[in-house]
Amino acid sequence: MTDKDKTLSGISRRHFVKASSALAATPLFINRSAFAANPQTSPGTVSSAPEERVVPTCSTFDCGGKCDIRAHVADGVVTRITTRPDNELDEEMPIMRACVRGRGYRKFVYHPDRLKYPMKRVGKRGEGKFERISWDEATTLIADNLKRITEKYGPSSRYVHVGTAVSGGTFSGDAMVRRLLNLTGGHLQYYHSVSMGNTAAATPYTYGAAASGSSLDTLADTKLVILWGHNTTETIFGHSNHYFQQMKQNGTRFIVVDPRYSDTASSLADEWIPLRPSTDNALMDAMMYVIVTENLHDKAFIERHTLGFDENSMPEGVPENESLMAYLTGAKDGIAKTPEWAEPITHVPAQTIRQLARDYATTKPAALIQGWGPQRHNCGERTARGSTLLATLTGNVGVKGGWAAGYGGIGNRKFTTGPEMPDNPVKEKISVMNWVQAADDASKVTPQDGLTGAEKLSNNIRILFSHAGNYLANQNPDINKTIGVLQDESKIEFIVATDLYLTPSAKYADLLLPETSFMERWNIGETWGTGNYLVLSDKLVEPPFEARTDYNWLREVAAKLGVEAEFSLGRDEKQWIEHIWEATRLSMPDENLPTFAELQIQRRHLFKSKPYVAFEDNIRDPDNHPFATPSGKIEIFSKRLYDMHHPEIPALSHYVPAHEGPEDALAAKYPLQLITWKGKNRANSTQYANPWLQEVQIQKLWINPLDAEKRGIAQGDTVKIHNDRGISLVPAEVTQRILPGVVAMQAGAWWQPDANGVDHGGCANVLSSSRITALAKGNSHQTMLVEVAKA
């Protein structure tokens, strides 16, 4: 062993092994009461190490909680993770205690399989064969390939992919590589959010703006909450579970609409209503039919604030029988959208539909909160708008205790500003769902397919950066199709990937760089939704082996491109964080943010702003605050959608059978609908490699006993899930917690193909479709038909 191997740049091998081996003796959960008395002392122990410090921090993965975790640091090593003690609880704020993911971070950071050195590919792309190189060689390779490819193809051939393991803070590697590319000619941008892009694109056709969430403290007196595909107990979504549990204790009734009896249904639901995936709009249509035919709609609200409810409130230039009332009563097609009509489509009993509609319409106020799963179908835009119509009919928009649309961030505040981004000279933009097409054949990406800013793409993607993003060959739909493009080196000529581990996506890199964890860099974490706080996530320990932050090595690349001064502005990583914080503080004088020096002492800043209700001003004073729609009103009927003349984008958001839904002819061959859920033990695929968290939730396929019996499948059997796109093998979980005709498994498992391409990891994306949605050009990961057999 050389001296260089013994003590590498960063934490020494001795320290890393010491930290890793100590995990076996460290309990996952800590007695909080022992820590409460003295937060500077290790929980349940007598401090014998006076040099130990306990640092409140948070992760900067793309996770909505930003839980308050306490890192115990001694001798340059994080020795344990605890969480917020009882003596620091604040009744006006969420508890913010770490979930199982937060408590398991140490095992993830100190894992022997972490990438240690920069490496370049030596085998075929995807084989995962690499050789170690120096950082100077690595940054030279990047700079040389950027110069070569830009000179040959132009800057629009450069692309930065989704990077969810670095994008959860205000300062991220993917943002800084975009900054570098913009300073050297630009890059092909993408738009859209894989998480909730269909909702963001659809709801402006109702409200004129993307429906933003209210603050959850406005629901304190809400009598009824309908969680429509919203699994907050497992996803730890912006600490909403904190508020929901308080509401549950205070008597709020919860109804969960979901094909799966999720942990949220188990912990909150007074009633569980399972329905077939992609038939949400049929259930919504039937609910609206009951509401209007039983005279339960809010007539005064509808008359004052809406367009398109009946024939008397339609925009000009539209023929008869296009209003909501005409659709529901069957004036145009002869089919009344009754609960009996919806029952065979949704598999929800007619009487259940009728009672759900009555409960929602007669309970004042009530909140129908739709999660992000239902809008990840190829009918997701219609589902997202459908919830806005229900909220409108019942007068639950813009009122305290109601809810306008799907779950999202608060619309009245933007916290941290992020690093300044130079203008991008490349004006073409693609949907995040178009990148495989753009790499395969740029001529396939047209405005009809999602291209904006140009009539055609000028270049294929030739160089790609993937910063801690396992989307490339794991989270991307239809993996087998995707890897065919990735393996062809005549298409994308150079792929740079950074990560903590050799993920399935990292195997397709030409240059693979060891990433730092959030414990080894500076950042600021902010919550999604209504957490209302900012947390300093500072550098606690040195990076292990030769791992470096993205910004650190990007400065070297910038120097080799001759733009280091413009790129860095003379700031190191901490100075960038200070700059971003101070810029945010000056832009938000009413929030009384501390100075950066003060933040380093108090560690976090809590916002105790007044409750916020989405669209409250528009409803309270419509004359002075009209909706940003063409009519200035809530548009139940959208003339803009009507003029598109697209059968999948109705002007009224109503039921249209989905591609690969239960009414598709393909169901004769593949009769089961496969859906996925976001589990408690990882954020997307991040932390999949954490063995502690693999024990928390084992990858299995949920299948109803009726479906299992037909196929001779017993509990624990290995089953083959298959369709025309791929095959995955996984153990069966035979359970009544899933609707017959539907199967489910957790999203984010790593793809593990054998020599024949059969996945042994339970990765749903060998089965998912790359079909894009009609309006948003967004993703439809959730809409897939499969068959299941005993392996």
Side-chain angles (χ1 to χ4, degrees):
M1 182 181 296
T2 67
D3 290 340
K4 183 177 181 181
D5 288 328
K6 292 177 182 176
T7 306
L8 300 160
S9 59
I11 187 171
S12 70
R13 183 184 300 275
R14 179 184 64 83
H15 275 70
F16 193 81
V17 172
K18 173 184 174 183
S20 303
S21 61
L23 287 164
T26 304
L28 180 57
F29 296 101
I30 304 297
N31 183 323
R32 289 193 299 270
S33 61
F35 188 35
N38 182 5
Q40 295 301 316
T41 303
S42 300
T45 67
V46 176
S47 177
S48 59
E51 72 277 8
E52 181 183 75
R53 58 194 180 103
V54 182
V55 186
T57 187
C58 73
S59 87
T60 49
F61 295 134
D62 190 28
C63 171
K66 295 296 172 289
C67 300
D68 186 331
I69 64 175
R70 305 297 168 99
H72 295 239
V73 184
D75 193 23
V77 172
V78 176
T79 59
R80 69 172 66 202
I81 295 288
T82 56
T83 190
R84 192 177 187 187
D86 292 339
N87 66 340
E88 290 188 24
L89 299 187
D90 184 335
E91 292 183 359
E92 297 185 46
M93 299 297 294
I95 292 176
M96 307 189 298
R97 282 202 178 103
C99 68
V100 67
R101 296 194 293 267
R103 295 174 188 239
Y105 279 139
R106 186 168 170 268
K107 183 65 172 177
F108 187 63
V109 171
Y110 292 117
H111 192 292
D113 290 344
R114 268 191 67 172
L115 297 176
K116 299 173 177 63
Y117 320 107
M119 298 182 291
K120 68 177 182 181
R121 175 173 61 87
V122 293
K124 294 180 180 179
R125 243 193 225 154
E127 282 188 317
K129 294 180 179 179
F130 298 91
E131 68 177 12
R132 180 179 175 181
I133 60 175
S134 70
W135 272 108
D136 181 62
E137 291 174 286
T139 55
T140 298
L141 274 172
I142 297 171
D144 288 349
N145 276 282
L146 277 171
K147 291 176 185 176
R148 175 184 64 82
I149 289 171
T150 305
E151 289 172 1
K152 185 175 181 180
Y153 301 106
S156 64
S157 65
R158 313 190 303 187
Y159 186 71
V160 185
H161 213 308
V162 175
T164 58
V166 294
S167 60
T170 187
F171 189 74
S172 63
D174 61 333
M176 294 310 286
V177 75
R178 289 185 179 95
R179 177 180 171 84
L180 176 61
L181 294 180
N182 285 356
L183 288 169
T184 56
H187 67 286
L188 179 63
Q189 301 177 74
Y190 68 80
Y191 63 89
H192 232 322
S193 161
V194 177
S195 295
M196 49 80 69
N198 291 325
T199 293
T203 52
Y205 289 92
T206 302
Y207 298 124
S212 58
S214 300
S215 59
L216 288 173
D217 52 11
T218 64
L219 300 181
D221 299 320
T222 299
K223 303 302 181 186
L224 172 66
V225 173
I226 301 173
L227 299 177
W228 199 296
H230 190 30
N231 184 21
T232 178
T233 297
E234 291 187 79
T235 57
I236 319 297
F237 207 117
H239 298 286
S240 53
N241 197 50
H242 165 82
Y243 292 98
F244 291 162
Q245 290 292 347
Q246 284 186 337
M247 293 161 61
K248 179 74 174 175
Q249 293 170 14
N250 292 333
T252 299
R253 183 168 178 241
F254 283 85
I255 298 174
V256 171
V257 179
D258 198 309
R260 191 177 69 94
Y261 189 71
S262 64
D263 284 7
T264 298
S266 176
S267 63
L268 287 174
D270 295 280
E271 182 179 4
W272 170 46
I273 299 178
L275 85 165
R276 297 164 93 184
S278 78
T279 67
D280 305 69
N281 280 102
L283 176 56
M284 292 172 176
D285 291 347
M287 288 175 65
M288 287 189 278
Y289 176 89
V290 172
I291 290 169
V292 299
T293 59
E294 296 189 4
N295 206 30
L296 303 177
H297 52 297
D298 191 327
K299 301 179 190 64
F301 183 95
I302 292 169
E303 183 176 352
R304 186 180 189 196
H305 298 292
T306 73
L307 178 80
F309 172 70
D310 57 22
E311 296 299 302
N312 296 322
S313 63
M314 291 292 288
E316 294 183 3
V318 178
E320 292 183 355
N321 295 327
E322 294 291 346
S323 68
L324 179 63
M325 281 296 293
Y327 168 74
L328 294 176
T329 58
K332 182 176 181 179
D333 61 7
I335 302 172
K337 309 310 181 293
T338 65
E340 287 73 21
W341 162 81
E343 180 174 332
I345 299 172
T346 64
H347 285 189
V348 179
Q351 186 52 41
T352 300
I353 299 173
R354 193 166 279 110
Q355 191 60 51
L356 176 63
R358 292 167 179 165
D359 287 347
Y360 180 53
T362 60
T363 307
K364 301 291 186 179
L368 191 162
I369 306 175
Q370 189 181 112
W372 292 356
Q375 59 89 60
R376 292 192 185 112
H377 287 273
N378 61 49
C379 57
E381 301 141 340
R382 300 192 293 274
T383 302
R385 269 201 85 222
S387 69
T388 71
L389 302 193
L390 277 168
T392 299
L393 286 190
T394 55
N396 277 303
V397 178
V399 297
K400 185 178 180 181
W403 201 265
Y407 191 85
I410 299 177
N412 68 336
R413 179 187 296 124
K414 173 63 180 172
F415 288 151
T416 49
T417 60
E420 294 88 349
M421 192 62 64
D423 289 341
N424 184 355
V426 176
K427 300 309 176 186
E428 299 106 305
K429 289 186 180 181
I430 61 173
S431 164
V432 71
M433 300 305 299
N434 294 143
W435 77 270
V436 175
Q437 288 176 305
D440 184 28
D441 182 353
S443 67
K444 294 179 181 178
V445 185
T446 67
Q448 291 72 36
D449 296 317
L451 175 65
T452 66
E455 288 301 311
K456 63 179 182 179
L457 276 181
S458 53
N459 292 290
N460 286 18
I461 294 172
R462 297 292 183 176
I463 182 169
L464 183 148
F465 291 83
S466 176
H467 286 251
N470 195 20
Y471 196 93
L472 196 66
N474 200 82
Q475 300 303 96
N476 199 79
D478 197 351
I479 288 176
N480 288 316
K481 176 182 177 181
T482 301
I483 64 168
V485 175
L486 291 175
Q487 288 172 335
D488 187 344
E489 296 178 39
S490 71
K491 298 187 183 298
I492 306 178
E493 296 181 10
F494 194 63
I495 298 174
V496 180
T498 74
D499 217 302
L500 295 178
Y501 293 91
L502 185 62
T503 66
S505 295
K507 291 180 179 179
Y508 285 85
D510 298 300
L511 180 66
L512 181 57
L513 306 177
E515 182 62 84
T516 52
S517 77
F518 70 91
M519 295 182 182
E520 300 148 5
R521 57 180 180 244
W522 285 88
N523 219 323
I524 299 168
E526 60 182 304
T527 59
W528 297 352
T530 55
N532 289 6
Y533 58 91
L534 298 169
V535 182
L536 179 65
S537 179
D538 64 359
K539 183 177 178 180
L540 302 175
V541 295
E542 292 297 321
F545 297 91
E546 290 188 6
R548 293 170 67 181
T549 66
D550 291 324
Y551 179 62
N552 184 296
W553 60 260
L554 279 168
R555 289 186 75 173
E556 285 191 15
V557 176
K560 291 174 180 179
L561 295 174
V563 294
E564 199 282 331
E566 301 96 314
F567 173 71
S568 72
L569 298 178
R571 300 179 185 129
D572 62 20
E573 187 176 77
K574 182 179 179 181
Q575 289 169 331
W576 267 107
I577 299 302
E578 180 175 5
H579 166 74
I580 291 167
W581 179 266
E582 290 298 331
T584 303
R585 185 173 68 86
L586 294 175
S587 69
M588 299 168 58
D590 293 340
E591 295 294 356
N592 298 312
L593 268 67
T595 66
F596 186 69
E598 292 168 338
L599 179 67
Q600 292 179 77
I601 298 172
Q602 66 188 56
R603 311 297 308 172
R604 62 186 181 275
H605 180 72
L606 309 180
F607 293 85
K608 297 186 180 179
S609 305
K610 64 180 181 180
Y612 170 75
V613 176
F615 304 118
E616 183 176 34
D617 289 342
N618 308 92
I619 298 302
R620 177 184 52 80
D621 186 6
D623 293 333
N624 293 311
H625 298 278
F627 284 89
T629 57
S631 66
K633 295 185 175 184
I634 299 173
E635 296 195 348
I636 294 173
F637 177 97
S638 171
K639 181 70 160 51
R640 290 175 291 171
L641 295 181
Y642 180 81
D643 289 340
M644 293 180 187
H645 303 292
H646 196 300
E648 294 180 44
I649 315 173
L652 297 166
S653 195
H654 60 68
Y655 177 65
V656 178
H659 301 283
E660 288 202 47
E663 297 186 54
D664 194 316
L666 188 63
K669 181 178 181 182
Y670 298 116
L672 297 173
Q673 291 180 275
L674 173 62
I675 60 171
T676 64
W677 77 91
K678 300 298 177 85
K680 63 176 73 75
N681 60 338
R682 54 182 180 260
N684 296 313
S685 70
T686 303
Q687 291 224 64
Y688 177 83
N690 190 330
W692 280 350
L693 298 190
Q694 288 178 357
E695 293 178 15
V696 167
Q697 194 158 286
I698 298 171
Q699 192 72 4
K700 294 180 179 180
L701 180 80
W702 284 25
I703 184 169
N704 186 274
L706 295 176
D707 295 320
E709 184 179 7
K710 289 179 186 176
R711 294 161 175 80
I713 295 169
Q715 173 71 16
D717 284 348
T718 298
V719 294
K720 179 178 77 169
I721 318 158
H722 61 102
N723 59 19
D724 290 339
R725 290 182 288 268
I727 300 171
S728 183
L729 302 179
V730 71
E733 177 72 19
V734 180
T735 175
Q736 294 185 5
R737 292 177 64 179
I738 190 77
L739 186 70
V742 183
V743 291
M745 60 182 172
Q746 185 187 348
W750 282 9
W751 176 49
Q752 300 175 35
D754 61 20
N756 298 315
V758 175
D759 169 53
H760 290 253
C763 180
N765 285 318
V766 301
L767 304 155
S768 60
S769 169
S770 59
R771 177 185 290 272
I772 59 175
T773 60
L775 176 63
K777 315 304 179 188
N779 56 310
S780 56
H781 286 61
Q782 292 282 5
T783 314
M784 45 188 157
L785 290 172
V786 301
E787 180 58 286
V788 176
K790 187 174 180 179

